[in-house]
Every structure is written in C-alpha cells, then in structure tokens.
C-alpha cells in the first residue's frame, strides 16, 4: 500500500530533533572512549601520529584508506594523471582510436607495475575465457569463469599463482588479487555478452581494451561489457551542458570529504576500538550502537570516495561508470543493500535478475539469492566469516519477500486498506526500523569481527532490553521516517501523478 498522505510537518521536525540529539549523544560516548584510552597497548599499532595542527593521534587501522589517501597517494595519482593526459591527447587527435590507447596505456602500466609474469597470468585468464566465449554456451562460460576465480581464492592454487609474480613491495598482494579478480569478472561479462550476440563474435582486442582500461583494472568498479563497449566506441565526444562543472564540483567534494574523514579519525577511533574486545565489553550500549552504525557509514563513505575518484577519471573519458553505493543511512530493505554497485550490477544482470525474473515467486527468489550469494562468497574469498555473512544476508533478502507476500494476503491487506496512509506508513516504519538493525548486525561482522557483532547483538537485544533496545529502535524509527519522506518527495518530482508502492518495503507517494 502506498503512502496516501505526508506525515504532519511537526512530526517530521520531531523526528529530526530526536535523531540529531541521539547521534550527538552516541558520538560523545565514542569520543570519550577514544580520548580516555588513547595510550592503551592494544591501540599502539593502529593509532598513529596524526596531523601536527591537532596535536592528537589518529585512527590508521584501515589499510585501504591509508593506502589510497596517504601511503601510496602519489603513485595512484601519477598513474591516473598519466591516463587522463594520454586519453585527452588521443581523444582530440584520433577519437576513433582512443580505445586502443586506453588498452595500450593500461597494459603498459600493469606490465611496469607488476612484471611480465603477472601480465602473462592475466592474459592467460583472458585467452581461456575468450576461447570459451566463442562456444556461446552460458553455462560453460560460468563454469570456466568461476573455476578461474576459485583458482585465485582457494589454496593451494592462489599461492602457486601469486608465487609467479616476482619482486616484493607493499601493494603487491592488493594489486595481485584485485587485478586478477576484477579481470576474471570482466572476462566473464565479456563471454556472457558474446553469448547473447546473435551474429558473429566480439574480437579478442575488444576484450583486451575492456580489461586493461587502467582506472578500473586494479580496484574496480566493474562496468559490464555491453555498457563499456557501447560508450567507449562512441566517437561523438560531446559534453552536456555544465558537465565539466559537475565533474569538477564532485572532484572537489571528494577532496573535502577526504579531509573531513581524516579530521574525524583524530577524534573518534571507530575502527580501532572494536578490535579491543576487553575495552568494548566496558562500553555503554549507546556507544556500541554508535560504533556499529558508524563503521557501516564509514565503509559506505570509503567506497563512495574511492569509486568516486576513479569515476571522475572515467567521466573525463566520456564514460558513465557505475554510481557510488546507496548510503547505509538510507537503507531499510535488504534488496537495496550493497557496498559496490559495480559488483551488484554484474550479479543482478547475469545471476539475480536472470534467475529471479520479476522477484515475485518465492522459489525462484530463493534460488536466485542462493546462486547470487554463492558467487559473492567465492568473490570475497570463502571463509567462516564470509559464510555467516552470506547466509544471513541471503536469509534477510528472502524473509523480506515472505513478509511482503504475507501482508499482501487477507486479512492483513484488508486491514491495511482501511488505514489512513499516514498510519500505514508509521506501522511500516516500525518494521523497517527493526530491519535496519538486522542489516547493521549482519554486515558489521564482515567489517569488524564476529565477536564484536555478537556482543553488539547481545547488548542491544537481550541485556539492554527494554530501555536500550526500545530507545535505539525509536531513534532508528525517526531516521526511517525521514528517509521515507525524502523518497516520497523524490517520487512526486519524478511522477506528479499518484503511484503505488513498487515493492514490499520501499514506498512511493500515492
């Protein structure tokens, strides 16, 4: 049932006030825990000297963030700047051959960085999957692609392949697994798109140009071959009105957010504290809830910024890359939960939507989600933590469909039909608030640890009941209603005519 009317304005103001106070309250607890325990022995490795201006140490627990914006910042900027310069020159001189330059520059950069043995390894994956693509049998493409992916994710095959790469430097492991993993996924996309091509085949050069596009090569995001091929071969290189202004604005915004996050790390040690379980056990329920929530928000910010930097370069090349993931604060359904839109688009196109179709049949949805999370598990690297994460997220996605089916049947659908739109929205908001915290708990275990997730769950659900449990749910309910109001307004802007809800949890204005 859609939203028949907006909530009263005073009610939305109240929700905003409650949410704001709660966030400040939780943040003060985290700040206190960070300041009082700055000299703990467990903090020595991850809390390091920060900016001289603040006179405080900063949280440096996230290797990926430090790699991108501190340790190897200049190396990454140098490689991407070189790509931009060469791409711009050849886009002006020979726009028909710019795709060739993309592939040549990317291939040379990979060769210089990782060596000829690594290049040979990546090319071997390309050759195998291209050969399979010529057969035009999707099941065979999946079998070959997933076998290749397993070879870099499972022992002893991954160690054997990694030993082929000579030399040693700090980023070698990251670049090895990132480059190989994304290459295999891109090759699978190429093979599956070739299967759908009715006449002829794409060429091996098409695959190489696609795979060795440097901005996407090591760190993603994945852009499916059909989109990349169509966009990169467009010779009408024109800009929309104010497009360069938007690109520049977003680049400056990303820089600003990077600075804000670094300042944030000087005062709130949200990444280091969860690793010290002795300290975590002493913290208040509000502090634990704030840590769990802030860790997911930070992971979204990190993904949005890293992909945003790469996407800025891609937009300069006249491409339309995958958008950053949806903010975790805006999520209250599992169907929209993801931290890498490129991988999400890949899985939806070739697995989830292909099997699940309209996602309204329980058995098809179950099969689609199992297959999707099986491939996701292999992509992330099979281990106990990933198995648990995949199981609970798969269950959450299916449980949403079961609940939606249940509420679409009489007498529940009849009862909801007699309700006013505002009351229906409030009741749905209660369920969405509980669902929000299941998303938090199911995903925080993959960002921190299983022990931390279990402790947060016990404190908020059992030991903290009823005061902590209900107060956290109340704050979450306020946040969910504000998100729903934003979605209602966006729906009205897109389509002023009344529309009904399009899925079980996400609603549009009616």
């Amino acid at each position: 049932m859609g939203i028949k009317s907006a909530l009263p304005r005073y009610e939305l103001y109240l929700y905003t006030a409650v949410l704001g106070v709660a966030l400040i309250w939780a943040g003060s607890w985290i700040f206190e825990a960070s300041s009082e325990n700055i000299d703990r022995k467990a903090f020595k490795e991850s809390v390091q000297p920060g900016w001289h201006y603040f006179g405080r140490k900063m949280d440096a627990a996230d290797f990926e963030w430090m790699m991108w914006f501190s340790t190897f910042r200049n190396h990454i900027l140098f490689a991407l700047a070189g790509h931009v310069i060469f791409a711009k020159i050849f886009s002006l001189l020979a726009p028909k051959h710019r795709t060739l330059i993309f592939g040549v520059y990317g291939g040379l950069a990979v060769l210089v960085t990782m060596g000829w043995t690594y290049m040979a390894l990546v090319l071997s994956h390309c050759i195998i999957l291209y050969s399979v693509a010529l057969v035009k049998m999707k099941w065979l493409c999946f079998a070959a692609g997933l076998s290749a992916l397993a070879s870099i994710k499972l022992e002893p095959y991954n160690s054997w392949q990694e030993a082929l790469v000579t030399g040693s430097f700090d980023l070698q492991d990251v670049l090895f697994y990132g480059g190989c993993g994304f290459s295999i996924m891109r090759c699978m996309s190429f093979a599956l798109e070739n299967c759908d091509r009715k006449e002829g085949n794409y060429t091996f050069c098409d695959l190489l140009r696609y795979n060795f596009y440097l901005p996407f090569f090591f760190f993603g995001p994945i852009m499916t071959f059909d989109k990349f091929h169509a966009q990169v071969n467009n010779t009408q290189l024109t800009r929309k009105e104010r497009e360069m202004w938007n690109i520049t604005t977003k680049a400056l915004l990303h820089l600003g957010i990077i600075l804000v996050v670094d300042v944030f790390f000087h005062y709130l040690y949200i990444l280091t504290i969860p690793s010290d379980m002795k300290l975590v056990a002493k913290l208040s329920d509000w502090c634990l809830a704030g840590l769990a929530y802030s860790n997911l928000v930070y992971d979204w910010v990190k993904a949005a910024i890293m992909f945003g930097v790469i996407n800025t370069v891609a937009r300069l090349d006249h491409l339309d890359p995958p958008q950053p993931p949806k903010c975790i604060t805006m999520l209250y359904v599992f169907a929209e939960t993801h931290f890498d839109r490129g991988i999400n688009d890949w899985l939806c196109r070739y697995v989830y939507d292909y099997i699940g179709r309209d996602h309204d049949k329980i058995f098809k949805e179950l099969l689609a989600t199992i297959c999707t999370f099986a491939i996701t598990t292999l992509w992330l690297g099979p281990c106990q933590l990933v198995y648990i994460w995949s199981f609970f997220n798969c269950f959450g996605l299916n449980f949403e469909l079961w609940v939606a089916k249940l509420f679409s049947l009489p007498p529940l659908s009849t009862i909801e039909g007699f309700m006013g739109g505002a009351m229906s929205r409030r009741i749905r908001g209660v369920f969405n608030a509980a669902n929000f915290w299941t998303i938090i708990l199911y995903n925080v275990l993959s960002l921190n640890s299983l022990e931390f997730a279990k402790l947060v769950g016990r404190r908020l659900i059992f030991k903290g009941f009823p005061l902590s449990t209900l107060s956290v749910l109340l704050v979450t309910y306020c946040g969910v209603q504000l998100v729903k109001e934003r979605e209602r307004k966006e729906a009205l802007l897109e389509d002023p005519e009344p529309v009904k809800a399009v899925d079980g949890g996400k609603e549009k204005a009616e």
Side-chain angles (χ1 to χ4, degrees):
M1 180 178 177
I3 301 174
K4 292 185 176 178
S5 60
L7 294 179
R9 189 175 295 274
Y10 72 85
E11 189 173 334
L12 295 173
Y13 287 151
L14 177 62
Y15 292 154
T16 304
V18 171
L19 184 62
V21 170
L23 290 175
I24 294 173
W25 178 251
S28 67
W29 279 101
I30 299 174
F31 173 74
E32 183 180 342
S34 302
S35 300
E36 292 181 354
N37 297 281
I38 194 169
D39 294 321
R40 282 179 71 90
K41 188 176 180 180
F43 282 22
K44 282 187 177 181
E45 290 186 5
S46 55
V47 178
Q48 300 175 359
W51 296 0
H52 174 73
Y53 315 106
F54 297 112
R56 289 176 60 94
K57 294 181 179 180
M58 69 178 291
D59 194 338
D62 188 351
F63 167 79
E64 200 170 19
W65 180 269
M66 299 304 294
M67 172 192 75
W68 264 85
F69 305 116
S70 179
T71 317
F72 292 95
R73 176 186 58 213
N74 294 337
H75 299 77
I76 294 171
L77 286 176
F78 178 78
L80 293 178
H83 170 88
V84 171
I85 293 170
F86 277 97
K88 187 61 178 177
I89 291 173
F90 283 91
S91 293
L92 293 173
L93 297 178
K96 291 183 179 180
H97 301 292
R98 70 190 189 107
T99 58
L100 177 63
I101 300 305
F102 291 164
V104 170
Y105 179 84
L108 289 174
V110 173
L111 180 63
V112 171
T113 305
M114 299 296 290
W116 69 269
T117 50
Y118 179 80
M119 176 64 81
L121 178 63
V122 172
L123 286 174
S124 68
H125 289 305
C126 293
I127 292 169
I128 291 172
L129 285 165
Y130 178 75
S131 302
V132 173
L134 298 178
V135 182
K136 291 195 173 185
M137 298 174 66
K138 285 191 174 183
W139 71 267
L140 190 59
C141 293
F142 270 111
L146 294 178
S147 297
L149 189 61
S151 72
I152 65 165
K153 298 292 184 179
L154 302 175
E155 290 287 356
Y157 312 106
N158 58 342
S159 297
W160 175 77
Q161 291 184 78
E162 190 177 3
L164 295 175
V165 182
T166 56
S168 178
F169 55 96
D170 291 342
L171 270 185
Q172 183 170 303
D173 287 349
V174 176
L175 297 183
F176 174 85
Y177 288 108
C180 284
F182 282 115
S183 288
I184 292 169
M185 297 297 276
R186 282 189 291 265
C187 289
M188 287 179 67
S189 176
F190 173 88
L192 292 168
E193 294 298 335
N194 193 66
C195 291
D196 289 335
R197 189 172 186 177
K198 295 180 180 180
E199 296 181 2
N201 298 288
Y202 293 109
T203 66
F204 187 62
C205 289
D206 289 332
L207 174 58
L208 294 182
R209 288 193 288 262
Y210 168 53
N211 187 53
F212 286 100
Y213 180 68
L214 184 62
F216 296 163
F217 184 82
F218 287 113
F219 304 111
I222 290 178
M223 190 174 181
T224 54
F225 178 75
D226 59 316
K227 294 180 180 179
F228 181 87
H229 185 72
Q231 293 175 25
V232 84
N233 287 298
N234 179 20
T235 56
Q236 303 299 319
L237 304 180
T238 57
R239 297 282 185 193
K240 297 178 182 178
E241 186 180 356
R242 296 179 64 83
E243 184 176 353
M244 281 305 300
W245 169 260
N246 292 334
I247 292 174
T248 305
T249 303
K250 286 185 178 180
L252 293 175
L253 177 63
H254 293 148
L255 178 60
I257 295 175
I258 291 168
L259 296 176
V260 169
V261 171
D262 271 359
V263 172
F264 178 88
F265 279 154
H266 284 79
Y267 296 95
L268 303 176
Y269 302 154
I270 60 169
L271 304 179
T272 296
I273 291 176
S275 64
D276 186 353
M277 293 304 297
K278 290 183 179 179
L279 172 60
V280 169
K282 300 176 183 178
L283 299 178
S284 68
D285 294 346
W286 273 100
C287 189
L288 288 179
L291 282 171
Y293 169 73
S294 59
N295 267 266
L296 261 75
V297 171
Y298 164 71
D299 197 64
W300 167 77
V301 170
K302 180 177 71 173
I305 294 301
M306 289 194 301
F307 289 143
V309 171
I310 293 172
N311 288 353
T312 298
V313 177
R315 288 192 179 93
L316 291 173
D317 292 334
H318 298 269
L319 298 180
D320 183 19
Q323 298 299 308
K326 190 174 182 180
C327 179
I328 185 65
T329 305
M330 310 296 288
L331 297 175
Y332 50 84
V333 290
F334 279 90
E336 295 185 356
T337 305
H338 57 267
F339 294 92
D340 183 338
R341 198 180 291 269
I343 291 291
N344 184 73
D345 290 348
W346 192 101
L347 290 168
C348 285
R349 179 171 177 80
Y350 302 121
V351 184
Y352 184 59
D353 290 340
Y354 182 79
I355 299 174
R357 302 297 180 185
D358 296 328
H359 304 290
D360 56 353
K361 299 291 190 296
I362 291 179
F363 178 75
K364 277 191 174 182
E365 180 72 0
L366 180 62
L367 180 61
T369 52
I370 290 174
C371 292
T372 299
F373 280 100
I375 295 175
T376 306
T377 300
L378 183 60
W379 165 253
L380 295 174
C383 64
Q384 182 188 22
L385 202 61
V386 175
Y387 294 147
I388 296 172
W389 174 87
S390 293
F391 171 80
F392 280 113
N393 279 274
C394 183
F395 171 77
L397 199 55
N398 282 278
F399 187 71
E400 282 180 350
L401 177 62
W402 302 340
V403 172
K405 287 287 186 183
L406 178 63
F407 276 80
S408 67
L409 300 174
L412 295 177
S413 61
T414 306
I415 294 173
E416 188 177 14
F418 286 114
M419 291 182 184
M423 181 56 67
S424 172
R425 173 173 161 177
R426 293 187 185 102
I427 293 174
R428 284 176 177 269
V430 173
F431 289 100
N432 293 146
N435 204 40
F436 179 88
W437 272 99
T438 60
I439 293 174
I440 294 286
L441 293 176
Y442 289 175
N443 286 278
V444 78
L445 64 88
S446 65
L447 299 178
N448 299 113
S449 65
L450 180 59
E451 290 73 22
F452 177 70
K454 287 164 63 177
L455 179 62
V456 173
R458 283 199 301 269
R459 291 281 289 275
L460 293 184
I461 299 173
F462 300 109
K463 291 187 177 180
F465 186 85
L467 184 60
S468 296
T469 306
L470 296 180
S471 59
V472 168
L473 282 178
L474 172 63
V475 172
T476 308
Y477 170 83
C478 294
V480 167
Q481 290 296 356
L482 293 175
V483 173
K484 283 177 174 287
E485 180 64 16
R486 182 174 181 269
E487 291 176 349
R488 187 188 72 85
K489 290 180 178 179
E490 288 179 349
L492 286 174
L493 289 174
E494 293 174 3
D495 184 5
E497 295 297 322
V499 291
K500 293 210 170 191
V502 292
D503 62 45
K506 186 177 179 180
E507 300 162 342
K508 291 186 176 180
E510 186 174 290

